Amino acid sequence: MRDILHIQKKLVPDLVQVMEKRYKILHRIFVAGTMGRRSLAASLDLTERTLRAELDLLREQGLLDAGTSGVTLSEAGRRLLEELEPLVKELFGLSELEEAVRLKFGLRKVVIVAGDSDESDDVKREIGRAGSRVLAQSMEPGDIVAVMGGTTMARMAAHLKVSAPMKDNWFVPARGGLGESVDYQANTIASELAKRTGARYRMLHVPDHLSEDAYQSIMQEPNVREVVDMIRSARIVVHGIGDAATMARRRKLSQETIDELIRDGALAEAFGYYFDREGRVVHRMVTAGLRLEDIEAAGTVIGLAGGRSKGEAIASVMRFGHDDVLVTDEAAAEEALRRA
C-alpha cells in the first residue's frame, strides 16, 4: 500500500489531494453527526461554492443523505470511511508516527487520530471513538474492565459498540469519585459501558481521596470490600492522563501537597498516581480502588489522552512502562516523541 501511495503522489498528486479533501468532508460529517453546509465549509476552510459541488458529488455516490437540518453520512458512507482508514493513515503519515511512538515507549499498539484536541473538540471525540474500538477488540468473555473518569472516558463510552451482548462481562469504576460532574465520573461511565454491551456493572460510592483512618474504616464494609476486590482483579484497565498540578487541584489536594508535587518534579497523573519526567512515581494517594500492583498485574492497560499540551505528561506515563495501548492524537504524539 505504501509503495502504491508513493507512486500516486508522484504521478497524480491532484488525485491524492482530491481524495484527502473528500475524506475530510465525510469524516467531519461523521464526527458531528449532522452538519449544515455553512458550518461545514467554515470548519474545513472551503468556500460554500466549492463545498456545494463536493457534496453534490458525494450525494450522487450514495455516501450522504440530505435533510432540513443538514447532511449526514449514509450507511454506505460509514462503510467507506472504515475501509479508507488504513489508507488515510498512510496518506497523513500517521502510520509512521504510530510505529515511532510504539517503538519509543515499548507499547503493544498505538492508535493516532489526526489533529490536536487542544484546538478541536471533534478530535477529542475521535480519540473516544478510536478508544472504544480498541476496547471492543480487547475484551474477552468473562472480563472485568476497570475504567477511570473524565471527559475522554465519557466520549469513549458513548461510542462503544459490540457485535453481541457480553452478559458475562463486568464494568467497574477504577477509583472513587472526584466530586465533579456526574456525567464524567467513573461510576457513570462504567454503567454506560455496561448498558451499551449488555454487560453488568458495579459502583463504588466512596470519595477518591481518603485519609488512612477513613480508608481502614471503609474497607471493613463488606459491600465496599466486594467491589474493591472486583476492581483489583480487572483484566483490562482504561485510563486517561492528566497534568499533575491540574489533577491535584481537581482531587482537592492541599496546597502544601501540590507545592510538594511540583518540587518533586511531578508532571503527569494517571490512575491516582503522580509521575515525574522519567516515569517514576513521586506521589500516591490512599484510595479504595486500583493500586499500582493491580495495574502491573492487568492483562491490558489502555491509555487515552490527546492535545499537544499533554504530550509531556503522556511521555511521562508511557515511560512508567505498564501501558500496553495508547490512543492519542497527532499533536500529542509528536510532542511526546519530542519530549522523549
Side-chain angles (χ1 to χ4, degrees), residues 140-158:
E140 299 173 0
D143 274 345
I144 297 173
V145 182
V147 295
M148 302 292 177
T151 56
T152 307
M153 296 292 106
R155 285 182 168 91
M156 178 203 67

Side-chain angles (χ1 to χ4, degrees), residues 32-329:
T34 301
M35 285 196 82
R37 191 166 60 202
R38 185 170 298 175
S39 59
L40 182 57
S43 68
L44 293 167
D45 197 25
L46 296 172
T47 65
E48 287 195 48
R49 181 178 178 181
T50 299
L51 180 64
R52 188 184 306 116
E54 296 293 345
L55 293 179
D56 287 344
L57 184 144
L58 294 171
R59 272 199 302 267
E60 289 170 7
Q61 297 297 318
L63 303 175
L64 294 178
D65 295 323
T68 54
S69 56
V71 289
T72 58
L73 240 61
S74 67
E75 188 55 39
R78 290 176 184 273
R79 287 197 302 270
L80 180 64
L81 268 188
E82 290 177 5
E83 292 167 5
L84 275 175
E85 194 158 337
L87 180 65
V88 168
K89 280 184 179 287
E90 292 287 351
L91 270 176
F92 294 169
L94 296 182
S95 295
E96 290 181 10
L97 187 57
E98 286 174 342
E99 184 64 6
V101 173
R102 190 187 71 80
L103 291 174
K104 184 66 181 179
F105 297 109
L107 300 168
R108 187 191 309 163
K109 183 175 184 178
V110 175
V111 178
I112 297 174
V113 304
D116 183 349
S117 54
D118 284 346
E119 298 178 356
S120 170
D121 206 47
D122 288 343
V123 179
K124 187 175 283 190
R125 278 197 293 269
E126 190 63 9
I127 291 174
R129 187 178 76 88
S132 71
R133 197 164 59 241
V134 169
L135 176 57
Q137 292 167 352
S138 302
M139 285 191 296
E140 299 173 0
D143 274 345
I144 297 173
V145 182
V147 295
M148 302 292 177
T151 56
T152 307
M153 296 292 106
R155 285 182 168 91
M156 178 203 67
H159 286 96
L160 185 61
K161 294 178 183 177
V162 292
S163 56
M166 308 189 79
K167 297 179 181 178
D168 295 331
N169 290 49
W170 288 87
F171 287 94
V172 292
R175 305 180 72 84
L178 280 178
E180 56 190 2
S181 170
V182 67
D183 293 340
Y184 305 137
Q185 289 188 14
N187 278 328
T188 305
I189 292 165
S191 67
E192 177 66 17
L193 288 166
K195 290 170 189 172
R196 287 185 164 272
T197 57
R200 292 174 285 180
Y201 67 95
R202 297 293 299 271
M203 291 189 172
L204 182 63
H205 295 293
V206 300
D208 189 48
H209 187 205
L210 298 169
S211 68
E212 185 64 40
D213 289 344
Y215 172 77
Q216 295 299 338
S217 176
I218 283 176
M219 293 302 284
Q220 300 304 312
E221 295 290 333
N223 288 341
V224 172
R225 181 78 248 180
E226 183 183 350
V227 177
V228 169
D229 286 345
M230 284 189 72
I231 292 169
R232 292 177 176 175
S233 63
R235 193 186 75 83
I236 298 175
V237 176
V238 191
H239 69 90
I241 297 170
D243 169 75
T246 301
M247 291 305 299
R249 293 186 188 99
R250 282 177 59 190
R251 293 182 186 278
K252 297 180 171 57
L253 301 188
S254 68
Q255 188 59 48
E256 182 182 353
T257 303
I258 294 173
D259 292 341
E260 184 182 339
L261 283 171
I262 294 171
R263 282 196 302 272
D264 290 343
L267 288 175
E269 187 274 347
F271 31 83
Y273 289 80
Y274 293 82
F275 304 86
D276 68 8
R277 190 182 304 277
E278 302 305 319
R280 293 184 294 251
V281 176
V282 296
H283 181 77
R284 63 185 69 194
M285 297 168 57
V286 178
T287 181
L290 278 182
R291 302 160 302 181
L292 211 55
E293 52 264 41
D294 305 319
I295 300 290
E296 294 167 351
T300 299
V301 181
I302 304 168
L304 276 70
R308 190 173 299 277
S309 63
K310 284 190 179 179
E312 189 171 28
I314 291 169
S316 170
V317 174
M318 293 304 107
R319 278 191 173 129
F320 172 61
H322 292 286
D323 275 68
D324 301 290
V325 183
L326 172 65
V327 182
T328 188
D329 61 33

